C-alpha cells in the first residue's frame, strides 16, 4: 500500500490508514431543488461518504446551504473554466474544490483560489480528464504521461504556496491510459489519489471498465477514494463502488449473495429465486457482513454452500440449507425464501 498524506474533505479523512472512501456526484439540475435534495439524501443513505456537484456559475454555489440542511456528508464543488466560481464556492461553505488544470491554468488565478482554500482550511483536488486535451494521442502510455506531466506542473504552483491539502485524479475514458496514469503519478508524490475511469458509457460497458480499471489499481495498493462513473442514475454508481471494494475484500457493506450462473443441470428458476431473496434480505437493514450462497445444482452447490456462512444447494426442485458442513434444513423451491430468511435471521440474532 502507498503511504499517503491524510487530506480532509470536511471531517472525512482521505488517505493514510483510512478506508478507501466512496464519492458520488449529483446529476440532478440545480434548478430542481426538491429532486436534488432527494438524490443527495439517497446517495448518502446508500453509502456515499462525500458528494460532488457541478457548480457552473457563482450563483450556483448557494445551493450548498440547502443541501447541508438535509444531509451531513461533505460536499465538493466541481469547478471548470471560471476561477471566480471556485472562490464563491469556497466562500459559500463547500468543504472541497475540484480544479481542472486544463481549463483553470493562469497562475495568478490558481494562486488566488489556493489562498482562499488555505484560509478556509479546505482541500483541493487536482482533477485531469483525458477529454480536456484537444489532441489525439498515439498510445495509451502517451496520454497517461501527458496527464501526469500536466498534474506535476500544477502541483508546483500549489506547493510553492505551502499548500498540501491536495488530492489527485487522472482519469482516461479508457482503462489502459487510466491505469498507466495512476501508476505514474503514484510514484511521483504521496497525495491521496481519487480513482475513476471517466466517460465509460452505459451500464454494462461502464461497470466492466470501472471494475477492471479500479480493481487493477486497488489490487496494487493504489487509490484512496473512488468514484464510479456510469451513464446511469448516481445511486447505481455508489452500489457498483461498494461491490468493487467488497469483491476485493477491502471493505464490507453487509451481506453478500453468491449464486451460480445456472446451466441445463439446474431444475429451478434460480434467477427469480435469487432476485426475490435479495429483495427480502434488504428488509433486515443490516450492515453485518455475511456470505450467502444460493446454488442451482449438486456439482458445486454443496461445496460453495459449505464455504459460505450459510448456503443452499438445489437438487430436483428441492434444496438443502447448509451452515458449514452441517445440514440445517431441507426445503422446497416454493418455501426456500422463507426458510432461508429464517435461518439468516437466526444467525444475525
Amino acid at each position: 500500500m502507498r503511504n499517503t498524506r491524510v487530506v480532509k474533505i470536511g471531517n472525512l479523512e482521505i488517505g493514510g490508514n483510512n478506508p478507501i472512501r466512496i464519492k458520488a456526484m449529483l446529476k440532478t439540475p440545480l434548478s430542481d431543488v426538491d429532486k436534488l435534495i432527494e438524490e443527495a439524501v439517497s446517495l448518502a443513505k446508500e453509502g456515499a461518504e462525500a458528494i460532488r456537484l457541478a457548480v457552473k456559475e457563482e450563483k450556483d454555489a448557494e445551493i450548498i446551504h440547502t443541501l447541508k440542511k438535509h444531509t451531513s456528508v461533505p460536499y465538493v464543488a466541481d469547478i471548470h473554466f471560471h476561477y471566480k466560481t471556485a472562490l464563491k464556492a469556497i466562500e459559500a461553505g463547500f468543504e472541497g474544490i475540484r480544479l481542472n488544470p486544463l481549463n483553470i491554468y493562469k497562475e495568478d488565478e490558481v494562486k488566488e483560489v489556493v489562498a482562499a482554500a488555505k484560509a478556509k482550511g479546505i482541500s483541493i483536488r487536482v482533477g485531469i480528464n483525458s477529454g480536456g486535451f484537444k489532441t489525439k494521442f498515439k498510445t495509451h502510455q502517451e496520454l497517461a504521461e501527458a496527464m501526469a506531466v500536466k498534474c506535476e506542473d500544477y502541483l508546483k504552483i500549489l506547493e510553492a504556496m505551502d499548500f498540501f491539502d491536495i488530492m489527485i485524479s487522472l482519469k482516461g475514458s479508457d482503462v489502459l491510459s487510466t491505469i498507466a496514469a495512476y501508476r505514474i503519478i503514484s510514484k511521483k508524490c504521496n497525495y491521496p489519489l481519487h480513482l475513476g475511469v471517466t466517460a465509460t458509457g452505459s451500464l454494462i460497458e461502464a461497470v466492466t471498465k470501472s471494475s477492471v480499471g479500479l480493481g487493477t489499481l486497488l489490487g496494487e495498493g493504489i487509490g484512496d477514494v473512488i468514484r464510479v462513473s456510469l451513464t446511469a442514475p448516481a445511486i447505481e454508481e455508489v452500489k457498483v463502488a461498494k461491490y468493487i471494494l467488497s469483491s476485493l475484500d477491502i471493505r464490507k457493506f453487509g451481506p453478500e449473495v453468491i449464486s451460480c450462473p445456472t446451466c441445463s443441470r439446474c431444475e429451478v428458476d434460480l434467477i427469480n429465486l435469487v432476485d426475490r431473496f435479495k429483495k427480502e434480505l434488504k428488509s433486515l437493514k443490516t450492515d453485518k457482513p455475511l456470505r450467502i450462497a444460493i446454488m442451482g445444482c449438486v456439482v458445486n452447490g454443496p461445496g460453495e454452500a459449505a464455504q459460505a456462512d450459510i448456503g443452499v444447494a438445489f437438487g430436483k426442485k428441492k434444496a438443502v440449507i447448509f451452515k458449514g458442513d452441517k445440514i440445517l434444513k431441507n426445503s422446497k423451491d416454493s418455501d426456500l425464501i422463507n426458510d432461508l430468511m429464517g435461518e439468516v435471521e437466526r444467525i444475525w440474532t
Side-chain angles (χ1 to χ4, degrees):
M1 297 291 292
R2 291 175 68 237
N3 182 23
T4 67
R5 300 175 65 93
V6 174
V7 175
K8 289 185 176 182
I9 307 174
N11 292 323
L12 182 71
E13 292 189 341
I14 312 290
N17 294 319
N18 289 292
I20 308 296
R21 303 298 191 180
I22 295 174
K23 187 182 285 185
M25 188 163 187
L26 291 170
K27 301 192 178 190
T28 302
L30 302 191
S31 58
D32 192 344
V33 177
D34 289 341
K35 187 176 178 183
L36 188 73
I37 293 169
E38 182 182 347
E39 184 182 35
V41 169
S42 68
L43 292 175
K45 185 177 179 181
E46 185 61 40
E49 294 161 291
I51 296 177
R52 179 165 51 117
L53 66 152
V55 180
K56 296 185 290 184
E57 302 176 44
E58 291 181 44
K59 64 180 178 63
D60 293 336
E62 297 301 326
I63 194 66
I64 187 65
H65 303 298
T66 300
L67 291 170
K68 282 293 186 182
K69 291 177 183 178
H70 298 274
T71 56
S72 59
V73 296
Y75 284 87
V76 176
D78 193 61
I79 309 295
H80 296 272
F81 303 111
H82 306 298
Y83 81 100
K84 287 189 177 180
T85 307
L87 296 175
K88 184 63 178 178
I90 293 169
E91 180 187 335
F94 279 86
E95 290 101 329
I97 297 290
R98 180 270 179 99
L99 293 181
N100 185 343
L102 297 175
N103 58 42
I104 297 179
Y105 50 79
K106 293 181 181 179
E107 190 167 330
D108 59 334
E109 295 178 355
V110 176
K111 286 182 175 180
E112 193 171 343
V113 175
V114 173
K118 191 173 182 179
K120 285 278 190 175
I122 70 169
S123 58
I124 293 176
R125 173 162 65 92
V126 176
I128 298 175
N129 286 8
S130 59
F133 291 99
K134 302 300 187 290
T135 184
K136 186 174 182 178
F137 295 89
K138 294 179 180 179
T139 65
H140 299 298
Q141 187 67 25
E142 189 177 306
L143 171 56
E145 290 172 358
M147 287 195 285
V149 168
K150 186 64 69 173
C151 177
E152 287 181 88
D153 290 343
Y154 212 71
L155 291 176
K156 290 175 184 176
I157 301 173
L158 277 63
E159 291 169 342
M161 297 182 67
D162 292 325
F163 186 85
F164 305 100
D165 292 327
I166 301 167
M167 283 170 276
I168 294 170
S169 65
L170 305 177
K171 301 181 184 181
S173 57
D174 68 273
V175 172
L176 295 179
S177 65
T178 300
I179 291 173
Y182 280 109
R183 283 173 174 166
I184 292 169
I185 205 66
S186 70
K187 296 175 182 177
K188 301 276 189 178
C189 65
N190 69 342
Y191 296 116
L193 299 181
H194 164 122
L195 299 189
V197 183
T198 190
T200 53
S202 55
L203 196 58
I204 294 177
E205 298 96 323
V207 170
T208 302
K209 290 178 184 178
S210 296
S211 298
V212 172
L214 275 61
T216 298
L217 291 165
L218 291 169
E220 296 176 6
I222 297 172
D224 304 279
V225 57
I226 66 174
R227 188 262 166 135
V228 172
S229 300
L230 314 175
T231 308
I235 196 79
E236 302 301 326
E237 297 176 340
V238 177
K239 291 177 182 177
V240 173
K242 290 163 67 176
Y243 286 138
I244 290 172
L245 293 175
S246 179
S247 68
L248 293 169
D249 275 344
I250 292 174
R251 293 181 68 178
K252 293 295 183 183
F253 302 93
E256 174 190 9
V257 177
I258 65 169
S259 56
C260 68
T262 78
C263 67
S264 58
R265 283 187 294 266
C266 185
E267 298 183 48
V268 294
D269 185 358
L270 194 71
I271 295 172
N272 181 48
L273 277 169
V274 170
D275 286 345
R276 287 167 51 208
F277 175 73
K278 289 175 75 172
K279 289 176 183 176
E280 285 292 321
L281 195 60
K282 285 183 179 180
S283 67
L284 291 182
K285 296 180 180 179
T286 180
D287 58 359
K288 292 182 181 179
L290 189 71
R291 186 176 175 88
I292 304 166
I294 305 178
M295 307 295 291
C297 80
V298 296
V299 176
N300 294 311
E304 290 288 355
Q307 292 164 28
D309 294 303
I310 190 168
V312 176
F314 273 98
K316 294 182 178 181
K317 297 201 173 184
K318 294 181 180 179
V320 178
I321 301 176
F322 293 87
K323 183 180 179 184
D325 58 359
K326 179 183 177 183
I327 295 177
L328 297 179
K329 192 178 187 69
N330 291 301
S331 182
K332 297 184 295 185
D333 60 343
S334 58
D335 300 327
L336 185 278
I337 292 176
N338 286 335
D339 289 346
L340 182 56
M341 281 295 296
E343 296 301 333
V344 167
E345 289 175 357
R346 270 189 278 277
I347 290 175
W348 265 321
T349 57

